[in-house]
Amino acid sequence: MKTKPKGGTRPCRLHKPFIRRRSMVVFMDIQKYKVTGERKFDLKSFDTKPPSSFNPEDTQSIMARNTAELSELQSKLYAQGKSGLLIIFQAMDAAGKDGAIKHVMSGINPQGVHVHSFKQPSPKELSHDYLWRAVKKLPERGKIAIFNRSYYEDVLVVKVHKLYEKLNIAERCKAEDTIEKRYRQIKNFEEYLWENGIVTVKIFLHLSKETQRKRFLKRIDEKDKNWKFSDADLRERGYWDDYQEAYQSAIEATAAEKSPWYIVPADKKPYTRAVISEILLDVMKELNPAYPSITSEQEDSLAEAKKKLMKG
Ligand code: ATP
Ligand code: MG
């Protein structure tokens, strides 16, 4: 996909305003949000806000354009059945994960995708290794799985609250560097998936503390949003800096060329959704799925079937 450094509209080479309007195609630079582990990563240097050049009114046209293309690519992915796609969403509360996922889903054939939300692990889940519950929800080749939270919680909330210390596990597995070990395990796991036909893409919705405060207040003030707020949200907000530090370390340790992170500004929902749809399109284009080609025997049998049907 062509990109332009600071988003906005494509510059008009002819300097004729009407041509610029008629050929209005908005290009978004998603590469600046991509983290592959090649360079030093600093979460603080990433924006939570859209660039000033972004016009929210462009969201709809971006999404419509991308949705059509995504849908076609997904049909091919499904028909071909050679690659699976795992899309992980991680974020602080009220960053807009649910809404973003809903929007992503709107352009995809429900037959080829499933969403799974990872909540606090049950006793049964805790009695297994931490990847166990995620493995069960991995996409088969040809399908897309969306994880609303994921095994990354096991190096985020588990790190912030040192929950690994409470695990009922053999002494030899209890270690100060449990989280560092998990970074390595996760990296290896995603490499394993890549080598077995499943591509992992990780999206962090990067929210500012101030925007979270405003969204929480809205959830309290607006009756139909009350259900979205819980005391636990406020409690976790108290650990804001610890979570930012945990995200910094986890992203730095697990970003890879083949399983990149994207740090998506989350303070303005239309921009967040537009960027996510661009990311997915980019990833799907990279996968480059194609409808399976048919053998000459299959071609003959199709021609035969057609002949019979034409006879009525
Ligand atoms: P929303 O609030 O928008 O409904 P959510 O993803 O925040 O969505 P909740 O039910 O509020 O859903 O929270 C799920 C909680 O489960 C989060 O606080 C998360 O940190 C926690 N959680 C997920 N995985 C683990 C884990 N492995 N260990 C401990 N806590 C976990
Ligand atoms: Mg929540």
Side-chain angles (χ1 to χ4, degrees), residues 62-102:
I62 294 170
M63 301 284 284
R65 184 186 68 206
N66 292 354
T67 298
E69 229 177 315
L70 251 180
S71 168
E72 176 67 14
L73 286 163
Q74 191 217 349
S75 297
K76 291 178 179 170
L77 188 87
Y78 187 75
Q80 194 176 35
K82 288 192 174 179
S83 290
L85 177 59
L86 171 61
I87 307 164
I88 290 177
F89 283 88
Q90 284 291 157
M92 297 296 285
D93 282 307
K97 276 185 289 114
D98 291 6
I101 291 170
K102 209 158 91 190

Side-chain angles (χ1 to χ4, degrees), residues 26 60 72 81 91 100 138 155 158 166 169-170 178 189 197 222 231 257 283:
V26 181
Q60 233 173 354
E72 176 67 14
L138 288 173
V155 290
V158 170
K166 296 187 183 138
I169 196 165
T178 296
F189 175 62
E222 294 179 18
D231 291 343
E257 182 62 42
V283 170

Side-chain angles (χ1 to χ4, degrees), residues 258-291:
K258 289 175 180 132
S259 55
W261 275 96
Y262 288 88
I263 314 300
V264 178
D267 281 355
K268 293 275 180 254
K269 287 180 181 174
Y271 186 69
T272 309
R273 290 167 189 176
V275 171
I276 292 170
S277 88
E278 290 277 329
I279 292 171
L280 292 192
L281 189 56
D282 208 46
V283 170
M284 290 288 277
K285 280 183 177 169
E286 190 80 16
L287 285 175
N288 196 20
Y291 288 116

Side-chain angles (χ1 to χ4, degrees), residues 223-242:
K223 283 268 164 294
D224 59 349
K225 289 203 163 77
N226 283 174
W227 64 274
K228 284 189 175 184
F229 185 77
S230 77
D231 291 343
D233 291 346
L234 199 57
R235 215 170 40 239
E236 291 313 294
R237 180 176 160 81
Y239 294 94
W240 183 274
D241 290 344
D242 296 335

Side-chain angles (χ1 to χ4, degrees), residues 93 97-98 118-121 133 149 153-154 157-158:
D93 282 307
K97 276 185 289 114
D98 291 6
F118 290 89
K119 308 283 183 185
Q120 282 194 16
R133 64 177 183 162
R149 302 190 189 269
E153 290 295 322
D154 293 279
V157 62
V158 170

Side-chain angles (χ1 to χ4, degrees), residues 203-219:
I203 294 175
F204 173 55
L205 302 186
H206 190 24
L207 184 73
S208 67
K209 196 173 181 187
E210 178 54 15
T211 302
Q212 189 196 53
R213 188 180 73 88
K214 286 185 184 148
R215 289 190 187 162
F216 278 172
L217 280 172
K218 213 167 163 192
R219 287 177 178 190

